[in-house]
Amino acid sequence: ANAIFFAARLIRNNILDVAVAGGTDSLTRFTLNGFNTLMIVDEKFCQPFDAPRRGLNLGEGAGYVVLVSEKIAASLKNETGIILSGYCNANDAYHQTASSPEGTGSYLAMSGALKQSGLQPSDIDYINLHGTGTQNNDIAEGTAIKRLFEPHYPKMSSTKTFTGHTLGASGGIEAVFSVLALQHGIIYPNLRLETPMKDLPFVPVTEVERNVKLKHVLSNSFGFGGNCSSLIFSKMG
């Protein structure tokens, strides 16, 4: 996610006209053992935002987007009409491997991306949640969403229910999901959600929704040390 908005900054400052940005990550014994040590790996399929959630599943993959300047976009025959309208990185520095219970970093990232885009919370149509399925992450992210969007919540879901947590690839993969959601009017289901969290006043989408009119999609990528980034993709016209 940080690579994507760094690329956008390079383009906006006339340093580049075209950038390929995203992330990749692969599973290793070192990674798996590290997360096992933290006792946050679910031996079953993960259940983000489910009350008795047990932890995350690790995944691997890669996801990249191509960003271009307005000059290049104007010359393209198959221009997508989708822009990266807002982005922000924040860090609450709460803990090495946990988010603050209040979701401070999450809130700052989302609100900062909205401010840069010139949008209001009510303009967001769908949130691709960070949604790892750990006890700490989901309540922290949910608390931040409640603080920012209450009382009107956009539709939201965690696509990590399909991919697992792909770590360094997740921001890129979920950026691709967000762009595809805008292009095809799709909202992905939050798989295996059975018991909504009592502490949160919203429930993620549990069934795939098609032909949805989407204008603005928020994609969250939150990491260790409170390192939080949010991207907003918008459909032009």
Side-chain angles (χ1 to χ4, degrees):
N2 289 344
I4 290 169
F5 79 67
F6 178 61
R9 291 174 65 187
L10 291 173
I11 291 172
R12 288 185 175 181
N13 285 280
N14 298 313
I15 297 171
L16 297 175
D17 276 319
V18 181
V20 180
T24 184
D25 216 328
S26 59
L27 284 173
T28 66
R29 288 181 181 271
F30 178 82
T31 303
L32 182 58
N33 289 338
F35 279 90
N36 268 328
T37 300
L38 294 172
M39 297 184 289
I40 56 173
V41 176
D42 193 345
E43 294 182 357
K44 300 178 181 179
F45 288 128
C46 65
Q47 295 179 267
F49 282 81
D50 197 83
R53 61 199 181 281
R54 299 164 301 276
L56 55 80
N57 300 146
L58 289 171
E60 60 182 356
Y64 290 85
V65 294
V66 179
L67 294 93
V68 301
S69 64
E70 292 183 4
K71 178 180 69 175
I72 297 297
S75 70
L76 297 176
K77 293 182 179 179
N78 298 317
E79 208 274 317
T80 64
I82 293 173
I83 62 171
L84 178 64
S85 59
Y87 46 80
C88 182
N89 172 262
N91 198 316
D92 62 21
Y94 172 77
H95 187 273
Q96 285 181 316
T97 59
S99 302
S100 63
E102 300 81 14
T104 303
S106 308
Y107 174 82
L108 291 172
M110 290 188 290
S111 58
L114 282 167
K115 182 177 180 181
Q116 191 202 46
S117 67
L119 298 172
Q120 298 298 315
S122 58
D123 293 321
I124 299 298
D125 301 306
Y126 169 62
I127 302 175
N128 185 298
L129 299 163
H130 182 58
T132 63
T134 65
Q135 287 289 327
N136 171 260
N137 173 88
D138 292 0
I139 188 61
E141 184 176 12
T143 299
I145 289 171
K146 180 178 183 295
R147 177 182 175 188
L148 185 59
F149 289 93
E150 191 174 42
H152 303 295
Y153 300 99
K155 295 181 179 182
M156 62 190 88
S157 64
S158 170
T159 50
K160 287 183 177 68
T161 56
F162 293 92
T163 66
H165 193 345
T166 55
L167 306 178
S170 60
I173 289 173
E174 289 162 27
V176 172
F177 284 158
S178 298
V179 170
L180 291 174
L182 285 166
Q183 288 179 327
H184 300 287
I186 295 173
I187 292 179
Y188 314 101
N190 198 104
L191 299 178
R192 297 178 293 278
L193 198 156
E194 298 172 354
T195 308
M197 295 168 61
K198 294 180 180 179
D199 297 325
L200 300 177
F202 57 82
V203 179
V205 172
T206 57
E207 300 288 340
V208 64
E209 296 187 12
R210 303 181 188 276
N211 301 315
V212 182
K213 290 185 178 180
L214 299 176
K215 177 85 172 172
H216 306 287
V217 172
L218 172 68
S219 182
N220 287 336
S221 298
F222 304 148
F224 283 168
N227 183 24
C228 301
S229 295
S230 292
L231 306 174
I232 298 175
F233 295 93
S234 299
K235 193 171 186 178
M236 300 173 64

